[in-house]
Amino acid sequence: AEQQLGISGITDGALAEMSANVDNIDYKVAAEEEKRRRHDVMAHVHAFGIAAPQAAGIIHLGATSCFVTDNADLIIFRDAMDLLISKLVVVIDSLSQFARTHRALPTLGFTHFQPAQLTTVGKRATLWVQELLWDLRNMQRARDDLGFRGVKGTTGTQASFLSLFNGDDEKVEELDRLVAELSGFKGKSYPVCGQTYSRKVDVDFVSALSSFGATAHRIATDIRLLANLKEIEEPFERDQIGSSAMAYKRNPMRSERVCSLSRHLMVLIGDVLQTASVQWLERTLDDSANRRIAIPEACLTADIVLATLQNVVEGLVVYPQVIARRIRSELPFMATENFIMAMVQKGGDRQECHEQIRVLSHEAAAVVKQQGGDNDLIERVRKCAYFAPIAGELDSLLDPSTFIGRAPVQVDRFLANFVAPALAPYADIIAQKKPAELSV
């Protein structure tokens, strides 16, 4: 770019030699130089100069270390987020298929992890999908908002480049735009910076990943709870061992792993926030060591969480009979309002009916809680002369499908109106998805 804009001394031969040796890195020489000079970038500048001697005098011309490191980080962030987004959309697509398949399968809802009104297996899955869609929005936005540090000089004033171009302000701006363009940022570089780009950019980037960690933890926790109820299980291979001592166990180990790693992913944003908050004036070096650990770890952790989540989601096993049995144990209490309405339609008194149901419900609850028996409320209602007018309607009044409201329609419309448009830009990625294989 500097040659194109007229900087003398940058020959075609020097550029060709640099290009030919881009991957010819002598790490031994670089390590020796770094130990000697205590400067990682200058160590590689010297090593590169040895590999490309014609260019030794122009490498790093007008630049500062952060021209190399910050711009390289931004390229890595962009490419890393592309990889993570490609995995996230596959998880969303697979979980959406699960929701569609089980859109109308009634299941007991839980609030406070106590039995509540019915929902459907598919509707519950849409709650997970919705949060993943928000993560997709956040990650895509963080990726698209990335700019390039560009050509800004030692403290962001571009003084060195202004000197190279003999005070030609327009050429300095064009160099900044051109370098960003050649680096794949469509000419978009941050308009101002100090020596580094603002570490607020790191906050935006890692925030999206940490937020996804919260979603993944929530989904995996729900699956673990449902596995305890034996309603839904993560995949479990034929020869898999759940416990070295208890041979019968089928532990939700993959979901547990998602939770474990997600906790780590969630807390990494703390490092990034603290680093952004203590950047003195034009910059201070105490950001460097921390972010070299925290940000790569955030990307790597998000990557394995996504792979594990895909494996779990695509292998989920549903046990309808177990779900139905739990519904039968709780539905009689939930159906009492329906019994009252049916009796009133037959001419009964609402308050008298309520009292009759209250007494029978407490008797049935005592059998369940004090005697460890099954919920026999329906049999008590059948045998009660007061409820004779609706005895023939009890089965229809207890049909679980009449207790799920608009859940199946909600699933259909959510998938059509929100999921499909969100995934449309990634259709090619989804079409090429492959199973996520895990060794452990």
Side-chain angles (χ1 to χ4, degrees), residues 307-371:
T308 309
L309 200 57
Q310 181 191 345
N311 179 270
V312 169
V313 166
E314 293 180 351
L316 284 175
V317 180
V318 179
Y319 295 105
Q321 295 307 314
V322 177
I323 293 172
R325 184 173 69 234
R326 181 159 284 104
I327 290 175
R328 287 194 298 271
S329 71
E330 299 290 345
L331 191 58
F333 293 131
M334 300 177 191
T336 54
E337 184 68 16
N338 289 14
F339 297 165
I340 294 173
M341 294 300 101
M343 281 295 295
V344 170
Q345 289 177 354
K346 297 289 186 179
D349 179 271
R350 192 269 176 196
Q351 311 313 328
E352 174 62 19
C353 185
H354 183 277
E355 178 59 19
Q356 293 281 344
I357 282 290
R358 186 190 69 81
V359 172
L360 295 177
S361 295
H362 282 241
E363 292 173 352
V367 171
V368 173
K369 296 178 180 179
Q370 298 174 20
Q371 302 175 25

Side-chain angles (χ1 to χ4, degrees), residues 69-385:
T69 56
D70 273 30
N71 283 324
D73 282 347
L74 291 164
I75 292 171
I76 292 169
F77 291 179
R78 178 196 64 198
D79 295 349
M81 195 63 92
D82 283 342
L83 290 171
L84 294 173
I85 288 171
S86 70
K87 294 191 174 187
L88 176 58
V89 296
V90 166
V91 172
I92 294 172
D93 179 68
S94 296
L95 194 51
S96 297
Q97 292 179 28
F98 177 86
R100 182 178 292 106
T101 298
H102 302 288
R103 57 184 287 281
L105 179 60
T107 189
L108 191 64
F110 289 91
T111 58
H112 314 275
F113 202 43
Q114 300 298 314
Q117 291 294 321
L118 268 58
T119 182
T120 69
V121 172
K123 170 61 190 302
R124 178 179 284 147
T126 63
L127 304 181
W128 303 336
V129 173
Q130 179 170 247
E131 294 188 9
L132 290 171
L133 285 181
W134 292 334
D135 291 317
L136 176 60
R137 173 203 63 193
N138 294 344
M139 290 166 70
Q140 189 65 60
R141 182 166 58 198
R143 187 257 185 245
D144 292 342
D145 282 351
L146 286 173
F148 208 49
R149 178 193 177 275
V151 180
K152 298 296 197 298
T154 54
T155 58
T157 65
Q158 299 176 305
S160 59
F161 295 100
L162 192 64
S163 177
L164 280 175
F165 286 106
N166 298 314
D168 191 329
D169 184 80
E170 296 299 322
K171 283 194 174 181
V172 174
E173 284 207 359
E174 178 59 14
L175 178 67
D176 198 20
R177 187 202 66 78
L178 186 57
V179 169
E181 184 77 32
L182 292 170
S183 301
F185 281 79
K186 300 179 179 178
K188 175 187 174 184
S189 64
Y190 295 115
V192 294
C193 70
Q195 187 172 91
T196 68
Y197 68 78
S198 170
R199 295 319 185 207
K200 190 78 171 178
V201 174
D202 297 350
V203 172
D204 289 348
F205 182 81
V206 177
S207 288
L209 303 184
S210 289
S211 180
F212 161 69
T215 302
H217 196 293
R218 182 267 170 99
I219 294 172
T221 299
D222 282 356
I223 293 171
R224 292 166 66 189
L225 292 171
L226 294 169
N228 175 264
L229 300 176
K230 297 180 175 61
E231 294 188 1
I232 291 178
E233 287 183 344
E234 65 179 40
F236 195 93
E237 275 73 28
R238 189 172 69 89
D239 296 325
Q240 183 173 329
I241 295 174
S243 168
S244 62
M246 295 168 280
Y248 58 89
K249 294 197 75 178
R250 294 169 67 97
N251 298 331
M253 55 180 286
R254 299 175 208 189
S255 297
E256 291 173 319
R257 187 183 310 154
V258 168
C259 289
S260 180
L261 292 169
S262 293
R263 288 200 301 273
H264 179 60
L265 181 56
M266 285 187 281
V267 302
L268 287 172
I269 187 59
D271 272 354
V272 181
L273 284 167
Q274 292 185 60
T275 296
S277 72
V278 296
Q279 287 304 288
W280 302 348
L281 307 175
E282 278 63 53
R283 89 76 63 97
T284 177
L285 192 58
D286 68 352
D287 71 329
S288 182
N290 183 296
R291 61 193 297 278
R292 291 186 193 199
I293 297 172
I295 299 175
E297 279 196 5
C299 295
L300 290 169
T301 306
D303 181 79
I304 190 56
V305 168
L306 281 165
T308 309
L309 200 57
Q310 181 191 345
N311 179 270
V312 169
V313 166
E314 293 180 351
L316 284 175
V317 180
V318 179
Y319 295 105
Q321 295 307 314
V322 177
I323 293 172
R325 184 173 69 234
R326 181 159 284 104
I327 290 175
R328 287 194 298 271
S329 71
E330 299 290 345
L331 191 58
F333 293 131
M334 300 177 191
T336 54
E337 184 68 16
N338 289 14
F339 297 165
I340 294 173
M341 294 300 101
M343 281 295 295
V344 170
Q345 289 177 354
K346 297 289 186 179
D349 179 271
R350 192 269 176 196
Q351 311 313 328
E352 174 62 19
C353 185
H354 183 277
E355 178 59 19
Q356 293 281 344
I357 282 290
R358 186 190 69 81
V359 172
L360 295 177
S361 295
H362 282 241
E363 292 173 352
V367 171
V368 173
K369 296 178 180 179
Q370 298 174 20
Q371 302 175 25
D374 293 332
N375 187 339
D376 63 356
L377 176 59
I378 301 306
E379 292 309 310
R380 291 176 183 274
V381 172
R382 288 187 196 280
K383 294 176 182 178
C384 180

